[in-house]
Amino acid sequence: MGSFTDSRLVFQAEWYDQNAELVRRYQFMFYPVDNTVEMFDIKNRRLFLKRSAVPNITEDKLYVGSVVNVNSRQLTLTAYGDSFTENALGTRNEKTLAIIKPDALSKVGPILERICNEGIKFCNAKMVNLTKNEAAAFYAEHAGKHFFDELIEFIVSAPIIVLELMGDNVISSWRNIIGPTNASEARSKVPQSLRALYGSNGTANACHGSDSPQSAEREIEFFFGSERRPAGTAQLSGTLCLVKPHAIESGNTGKIVSQITDAGFEIGGIEMFNLDRANAEEFLEIYKGVVTEYSQMVTELCSGPCLAIEILSEHKNFREFVGPADPEIARHLRPKTIRAKYGKDKIFNSVHCTDLPEDVGLEIEYFFRILSQ
């Protein structure tokens, strides 16, 4: 990551001021040489933040669409701020849309593991149910082709998981990972590709990947844009598992999901969120004054994206499966639990799960009904 150490990276950034109900816009400047940030208020034409160090902001976290926290403000980087930054980061931060199709839904864990192992980042994720009209709109370029009706019937037959991925030339690299369109051809030519491993034919072929930058932009907008998006699948009746930012950044998302599904837990919904500090404080309020690590827990939860998973299981069973809140204790007492395997300490303990039975519904609704809207 040290290739731009003598220069600065510039982005356009936005922050929604809830008190004033205004979107405030800034020029956001990052200096890789010492990991410092400077901000300029565009409307008022004045320096907003003098160049200073900001915890948790590093070069690899900066890309168009990323969310960063600066002094308790959650900023969205909306565009490159100059041609140098765009040229320097453009292909490295390329994005594509991936879909885990109905026939591969049971293999979501291994597929996410493969993505993590390839060094590809998750920018967004959601489990959705497409209507026939939505499916027809998404696959409009195939309308009139002999396989169109079969494709639509297949893609609406069960939930799908849509992923916004980012990486170096990720459009072509993801298509190489999933392999040829027809699963039979994939098995003969690229036997370790995802379609070879999990697909059946040219329609039920496990995964989708955008075929060009233009397609990627359109497809990402379709599922994650500001307009009305396909409905999520959460039933609001399970218990919550929240994969924390540090676990996602460490590449453990796929391993955690695999451990959950391998143990027989059914997933009702999945969605990725970027919490601001106010959201994190509100969600963790029951721990305020109860655990000494409360403030650090809040800081971790809003330090990057987290993945909310609805587990359709008894709360008590899943909580035992996750393990004690302190990973050190978990490693001694229950070494096969999620926190024992992927946690570091009580703050960075890989996942949050609902502690009290009476909070099960509240926590699920907070993410999948309130924040999701």
Side-chain angles (χ1 to χ4, degrees):
M1 292 291 181
S3 52
F4 315 122
T5 52
D6 296 330
S7 306
R8 68 178 186 179
L9 300 175
V10 184
F11 294 85
Q12 301 298 316
E14 293 183 352
W15 169 59
Y16 178 67
D17 185 339
Q18 291 182 323
N19 292 328
E21 296 185 339
L22 291 172
V23 175
R24 303 193 185 277
R25 294 178 172 86
Y26 304 94
Q27 187 178 54
F28 177 96
M29 292 157 281
F30 177 78
Y31 298 85
V33 66
D34 56 3
N35 279 16
T36 54
V37 170
E38 188 176 28
M39 291 173 58
F40 185 81
D41 186 322
I42 294 174
K43 181 180 179 180
N44 296 312
R45 298 184 179 183
R46 62 181 177 84
L47 186 68
F48 178 78
L49 176 67
K50 184 179 178 181
R51 183 173 172 179
S52 56
V54 177
N56 300 319
I57 294 185
T58 53
E59 185 184 321
D60 62 321
K61 294 183 179 180
L62 303 178
Y63 52 88
V64 174
S66 70
V67 177
V68 295
N69 285 278
V70 178
N71 295 345
S72 298
R73 289 178 171 83
Q74 188 181 60
L75 304 171
T76 301
L77 305 185
T78 58
Y80 294 114
D82 60 18
S83 57
F84 170 81
T85 305
E86 183 172 8
N87 292 333
L89 300 182
T91 57
R92 195 181 77 186
N93 291 343
E94 187 176 74
K95 293 183 179 180
T96 194
L97 183 91
I99 298 178
I100 301 175
K101 296 184 178 182
D103 58 321
L105 203 59
S106 63
K107 303 298 182 182
V108 57
I111 292 173
L112 296 182
E113 280 193 66
R114 182 74 171 268
I115 292 170
C116 294
N117 291 341
E118 295 287 345
I120 297 173
K121 289 188 175 183
F122 302 104
C123 296
N124 226 324
K126 190 173 184 179
M127 183 184 287
V128 301
N129 278 314
L130 287 181
T131 65
K132 285 190 175 181
N133 286 340
E134 289 168 339
F138 180 76
Y139 286 114
E141 63 185 295
H142 298 307
K145 296 180 181 178
H146 70 278
F147 58 82
F148 182 73
D149 290 343
E150 181 186 357
L151 175 62
I152 299 305
E153 290 294 333
F154 167 69
I155 207 69
V156 303
S157 65
I160 60 174
I161 296 176
V162 290
L163 305 163
E164 181 184 352
L165 305 179
M166 187 188 75
D168 189 5
N169 294 307
V170 73
I171 293 174
S172 61
S173 63
W174 172 243
R175 286 178 69 83
N176 289 335
I177 292 166
I178 64 178
T181 300
N182 191 289
S184 297
E185 181 185 354
R187 278 188 282 275
S188 64
K189 293 183 176 179
V190 195
Q192 293 306 309
S193 65
L194 295 178
R195 283 170 170 162
L197 294 171
Y198 307 124
S200 301
N201 52 49
T203 300
N205 59 359
C207 297
H208 164 89
S210 307
D211 60 9
S212 69
Q214 294 75 26
S215 294
E217 183 177 0
R218 180 188 71 82
E219 292 173 359
I220 290 169
E221 178 66 23
F222 184 91
F223 285 105
F224 299 113
S226 56
E227 298 299 318
R228 183 181 179 277
R229 294 169 287 178
T233 61
Q235 300 177 27
L236 304 181
S237 60
T239 190
L240 179 70
C241 173
L242 192 65
V243 183
K244 294 187 174 182
H246 80 90
I248 293 174
E249 188 174 349
S250 299
N252 289 324
T253 308
K255 294 176 183 177
I256 290 171
V257 173
S258 286
Q259 186 165 340
I260 290 170
T261 55
D262 288 349
F265 291 103
E266 183 183 355
I267 293 176
I270 290 176
E271 191 164 354
M272 185 165 275
F273 296 90
N274 281 280
L275 302 185
D276 60 24
R277 193 167 188 91
N279 292 145
E281 287 177 345
E282 184 176 38
F283 177 69
L284 296 172
E285 188 175 12
I286 60 170
Y287 299 101
K288 189 175 182 179
V290 177
V291 298
T292 57
E293 298 86 2
Y294 168 75
S295 179
Q296 295 160 291
M297 289 165 62
V298 168
T299 299
E300 156 61 6
L301 205 55
C302 61
S303 67
C306 55
L307 188 69
I309 305 173
E310 181 188 39
I311 306 295
L312 301 179
S313 172
E314 288 289 332
H315 156 72
K316 180 181 178 182
N317 293 341
F318 187 73
R319 189 169 181 272
E320 290 176 353
F321 174 77
V322 166
D326 188 335
E328 282 299 321
I329 295 176
R331 280 187 277 273
H332 284 291
L333 300 181
R334 308 194 59 196
K336 295 183 179 181
T337 57
I338 290 177
R339 285 170 170 162
K341 288 184 175 181
Y342 308 111
K344 299 177 182 178
D345 53 36
K346 292 172 71 173
I347 299 160
F348 303 101
N349 60 356
S350 71
V351 299
H352 165 89
C353 71
T354 310
D355 278 324
L356 302 175
E358 56 266 33
D359 292 330
V360 170
L362 294 174
E363 293 196 352
I364 281 289
E365 290 211 359
Y366 187 76
F367 279 94
F368 288 103
R369 186 175 65 83
I370 297 172
L371 294 185
S372 185
Q373 293 176 353

